[in-house]
Structure formats: structure tokens, C-alpha cells
Amino acid sequence: MTSPAAPRPAGLVRRVATATVLAVLASLLPAAPAPAAPAVNHTNPLVTQRADPHIVRHTDGYYYLTATVPEYDRIVLRRATTLQGLSTAPETTIWRRHTSGEMSAHIWAPEIHFINGRWYVYFAAGRADDIWRIRMYVLENSAANPLGGSWTERGRITTPWDTFALDASTFVAGGVRYLTWAQQEPGIATNSNLYLARMGADPWTITGPVTRLTVPTYDWETRGFRVAEGPAVIQRNGRIFLTYSASATDANYCLGLLTAAATADLLNPASWTKSPTPVFASNAATGQYGPGHNSFTTSDDGQSDILVYHDRNYRDISGDPLNDPNRRTRIQKLYWNADGTPNFGIPVPDGATPVRLRSHDLAANFVRHFAYRGRVEPNVTNLADSQFRIVTGLAGAGSVSLESTNFPGHYLRHRNYEIHLERDDGSALFRADASFVRRPGLADGAGISLESGNFPGRYVRHRTGLLFIEPVGTAAERGSATFHLE
């Protein structure tokens, strides 16, 4: 072993210098897209009659969920060690509205954050004598478990205008803590725009200039009302992605997206790029309407990003949508495109969440349907084409079937040994052709292989970009008949 004082060989010096240079260069480059991550298994809806959901995963091993209740009169909190566990976790009321004055009506959209060793809840509230005088407020709790301890009212968040303001959220970027929120600005004919400012010495005070990030102008932002609200931030791949909700809180509600480089001046509006189309919207095929007011968390294994949001499972609402209690908290995996941008897909159907099947031997390729033919392709930006629910086999007997996410009731089935996506016609032949026996991956036991239920010895495999059921013998064939769930 070379002592610290001994001279280094020239080759070692060169290798160390080269490694140092490479490390510096790597630190200057945007992070690579998120690697492949295992499938997540959840059941939707997660919680009924809970809107504007906010879920955080804390270092104590618990997920914490708070959300708007239909009565708009209190703030609730629940915790569990798993995301699905939140569905049945006991719920605690941590604060109730005042009987008069400020914070006495329309208790909306609480968010819970852990900042500098204390818990904070941001929320919006009106007055009993003026329910639309909505402003933003903060609660503080120093207890380790926020379901216990006492909550101190830290008062109203002051902004440049004493106007309708709501949906405060906070994040840290580049070592700076920011507050982002929605507000009605005098002189602008909208219901609310999005704003950003640095936070001061405490997490209920902003300091310095306030930046207007976006004003609702697109048709999908102005249906029913001219709204940009509910900002939420996720940071990945050298960029900051800020989602927001737009339009009225009925089936028109949807998510927009702003993007900035992580190294940019976030208080410069020019640093942000706005998506010209919604990134997440109602979907009649899956029966999900008005998805919005989201937050982000991570999966139980920490390897996947999870989109948290609310929606309804029906389109038509009688009366004011705010009086309809049936917005539900839902979760689904957030995927990432090859260019490092998020792919939200569509609101998945109620029930078990879908998965993607990644090819073992063509690691960038996923099983998908296109023109009702089963294929494997890379860069499937129409994400739902590559999402399937693995359900109990239509033919039973320990088999499974793969149901399309964006064409519910349609399944992958073989016909003439080719894999097609077709609607279940109820026939015994269809159900047999659409049922497969799930086996450990032929090329990798961590994956899966799908053996035809009615043609034993034939497996789903890809060849020339298409899917077939064929006998498998060689190592290459085993590789093409093995898939990994994501």
C-alpha cells in the first residue's frame, strides 16, 4: 500500500486528474432522465370526497396526506407507512375554522411541509361575512408527529395586493426557498394568475420582488373561468417543472405545465416556458373528469415519482361544482420521456393501476398497441398506448389478461399467432386467446414471460417490432419473450 507521503505514479496522477475533470463536467451537465423503475401497485380512488390532495413522504417513514373536505370547515391529516395505507388510515382534524372574522369560511387546499425542523400547513380561507374574501394563511407545529402537538396560527401571508389569493406552495431550488401561489391581480381581467417570490426569515413571509409566472390565456385555461391555480413543483433532470390547474372546477379542469432550467433566474418570467396544451385532462374512455390540483410524492420503494390529484368519475354536475362533494384523491405513476420531460399520460381507470412492459433485450422498447396491433417500440410518448392492467385471466384457471388503459374492455389476444388489441366479445374463444400464464422471465427471473393459455409452449415475444406467440428455444428467443414491469 502506498503511504500518503510516497510519490504517485504518473499514470495514477493522470487517471485522477481525468476523473476530476470528468466529475466537474458531469456536474455541469443536466441530469440523465430517471432510470427504469419497478411497477407500482395501487388502487384508485385512494380516498373518496377529498379534493386538492397534498401528500408528503417524511424522513420518519410516514406518508402524510391532507386535503380539502367537502364541508370546507376544517383541516384534516392522516398518515401511513405506505401510499395505499393512506386509504384506510385514521383521519385527525388538526384545526377548525373560526366562528367569525378571518379564517371562518371556505377552508381550502391545505398543504403540509416540514421546514427547519417544524411542520407548516398552508391553506386558504374566507370570512363568514364575506366568503369570497379568500386569503392565504399558515399554521405551525413543532411536534415530531404533526397529528399531535399544538398548531399555532402564524397569520396571513402578505402579498403586494389585498385580493383573492390561494394555493400557497413552497419549494427550494439552488439553496433558495420560494413561495408560489395563485392570486387575482388588479388590472388583469382573470380570476387568478400564478406568482413566485423568495421567502424571508420565516416560512410565512415573502421578501423581494414578486414575479408573475403566467396568466391564463389559452382556451383550455379559460373555460368557465380564467384560472391558473394550484401550483406544484417537481425537480428532475436539470429542470424545474411547475404544474398548475386551469379553468373551472368541473370537467374542464386540467393541468398545465411551466418549465425552467434549474440554473435559471426563476424570478425572471422569461426563464419559464409554458406548454401550449394541457398535460393532463379529462378522459371519457377511462371515465375520469376534471383532474387537477395535484402534488407529487414518491413510491413506497423510492424509485418512482407519483402524481397525486383529484377528479370525479362523472362528467355532468348538478349546480355549482363547489357544492359537489365527490372529488376523490387519486394517485398514479409519473413517467419520464427520453428527453427528461415528464409524461403524465391520462387519468387511469378506477381500480388497480396499470403497468408498462419493457422488453428485456431491447431495454428502451415497451409493449404497446398501435392500429390495434401489438408491438414493441421506444419513446412511446402517447403513454397510455403502452399501459396495461394485468387482471385476472378472462379464461380463469390461474391465468392473467392484459387490459388496455386507454381502451378499457380491450385486451391483448392472439389471432393467427399474432398479438392484437381487441374488445372482449364475450366468446369462449376470445377469452382463451386473451389469457396467458404468467411465468418468471425466461431470460431473467426478475422479469415475466407470458405463456399462451390455450397454446402451451408458445410465449408472447417480439420479432421485427411486432408481437407474436411462438415457441421459444434459443437465448435470443428467451430474451425477446421476457419483459420487465414498470
Side-chain angles (χ1 to χ4, degrees):
M1 180 175 180
T2 306
S3 70
R8 270 57 168 179
L12 176 60
V13 173
R14 284 194 297 272
R15 289 195 297 274
V16 171
T18 300
T20 301
V21 170
L22 290 175
V24 171
L25 289 174
S27 69
L28 299 176
L29 295 173
V40 298
N41 297 292
H42 301 126
T43 300
N44 278 311
L46 186 69
V47 185
T48 59
Q49 294 197 342
R50 292 294 179 265
D52 312 322
H54 188 257
I55 296 177
V56 296
R57 189 180 194 182
H58 189 47
T59 54
D60 63 1
Y62 283 93
Y63 289 96
Y64 291 87
L65 164 66
T66 186
T68 301
V69 300
E71 297 82 7
Y72 305 141
D73 64 351
R74 65 193 186 276
I75 296 175
V76 297
L77 187 63
R78 60 177 72 188
R79 74 172 185 169
T81 55
T82 65
L83 274 171
Q84 195 64 48
L86 291 170
S87 181
T88 55
E91 190 170 80
T92 298
T93 296
I94 62 169
W95 182 89
R96 288 188 179 274
R97 67 179 178 88
H98 293 189
T99 57
S100 62
E102 289 190 297
M103 296 181 280
S104 59
H106 278 169
I107 310 304
W108 286 350
E111 286 199 7
I112 184 166
H113 296 267
F114 190 75
I115 303 170
N116 299 331
R118 294 173 181 264
W119 292 98
Y120 293 89
V121 168
Y122 297 82
F123 66 101
R127 300 173 57 98
D129 57 355
D130 189 353
I131 61 174
W132 297 109
R133 188 176 172 81
I134 305 294
R135 303 294 185 268
M136 301 178 293
Y137 301 89
V138 181
L139 305 176
E140 180 187 69
N141 190 336
S142 60
N145 177 0
L147 276 75
S150 60
W151 289 90
T152 301
E153 296 175 1
R154 289 303 182 188
R156 178 151 62 101
I157 298 175
T158 301
T159 67
W161 316 284
D162 185 18
T163 58
F164 182 88
L166 70 168
D167 297 346
S169 187
T170 183
F171 65 96
V172 174
V176 176
R177 179 167 293 280
Y178 294 90
L179 188 80
T180 181
W181 71 96
Q183 188 161 10
Q184 188 175 62
E185 181 179 341
I188 299 180
T190 58
N191 297 91
S192 59
N193 315 308
L194 292 186
Y195 297 89
L196 182 71
R198 291 188 178 214
M199 300 215 76
D202 57 63
W204 59 86
T205 303
I206 63 173
T207 185
V210 170
T211 296
R212 185 192 317 121
L213 292 180
T214 191
V215 173
T217 55
Y218 289 117
D219 66 328
W220 53 270
E221 299 175 299
T222 58
R223 293 171 181 158
F225 296 100
R226 303 175 70 85
V227 168
E229 65 182 17
V233 166
I234 187 169
Q235 303 181 54
R236 294 287 184 274
N237 310 323
R239 279 167 280 189
I240 296 175
F241 303 98
L242 186 151
T243 54
Y244 64 96
S245 301
S247 288
T249 56
D250 53 17
N252 292 304
Y253 212 46
C254 60
L255 291 184
L257 182 67
L258 301 177
T259 304
T263 55
D265 176 6
L266 301 184
L267 293 177
N268 180 355
S271 298
W272 296 88
T273 301
K274 182 176 184 176
S275 173
T277 57
V279 294
F280 201 58
S282 293
N283 190 281
T286 62
Q288 307 301 322
Y289 297 93
H293 204 113
N294 77 288
S295 59
F296 299 100
T297 189
T298 56
S299 59
D300 295 356
D301 63 10
Q303 297 188 60
S304 297
D305 293 308
I306 301 296
L307 175 67
V308 183
Y309 63 98
H310 75 234
D311 77 1
R312 296 181 178 88
N313 62 350
Y314 51 88
R315 184 191 64 190
D316 298 324
I317 299 169
S318 177
D320 187 338
L322 284 176
N323 296 328
D324 181 288
N326 293 319
R327 292 179 290 180
R328 307 96 44 80
T329 294
R330 307 182 90 244
I331 55 176
Q332 61 189 72
K333 183 170 178 173
L334 178 68
Y335 290 88
W336 296 88
N337 296 315
D339 64 359
T341 58
N343 193 327
F344 294 81
I346 62 176
V348 298
D350 284 346
T353 51
V355 299
R356 303 177 84 196
L357 288 83
R358 177 174 57 85
S359 169
H360 175 75
D361 59 342
L362 297 178
N365 286 248
F366 290 85
V367 171
R368 71 165 301 179
H369 62 82
F370 182 78
Y372 298 102
R373 184 70 165 90
R375 308 165 183 264
V376 292
E377 290 182 2
N379 303 321
V380 185
T381 54
N382 189 10
L383 181 70
D385 285 353
S386 63
Q387 289 180 292
F388 299 89
R389 289 206 298 178
I390 300 180
V391 300
T392 301
L394 299 179
S399 63
V400 298
S401 294
L402 279 71
E403 183 181 14
S404 169
T405 291
N406 52 350
F407 288 84
H410 289 65
Y411 297 83
L412 293 182
R413 61 87 57 101
H414 66 80
R415 179 162 46 80
N416 299 325
Y417 303 122
E418 300 173 343
I419 297 294
H420 296 265
L421 182 76
E422 294 182 0
R423 178 181 289 279
D424 179 9
D425 62 10
S427 69
L429 176 62
F430 181 95
R431 295 187 172 189
D433 290 348
S435 296
F436 305 89
V437 179
R438 178 171 169 168
R439 307 288 190 195
L442 298 176
D444 181 352
I448 68 167
S449 293
L450 296 168
E451 183 180 12
S452 170
N454 54 351
F455 284 83
R458 287 180 175 264
Y459 290 82
V460 176
R461 66 168 291 226
H462 67 82
R463 179 166 52 81
T464 63
L466 299 173
L467 291 177
F468 303 86
I469 57 165
E470 295 182 342
V472 173
T474 67
E477 290 168 347
R478 289 193 293 273
S480 66
T482 300
F483 305 91
H484 297 272
L485 302 182
E486 294 187 1

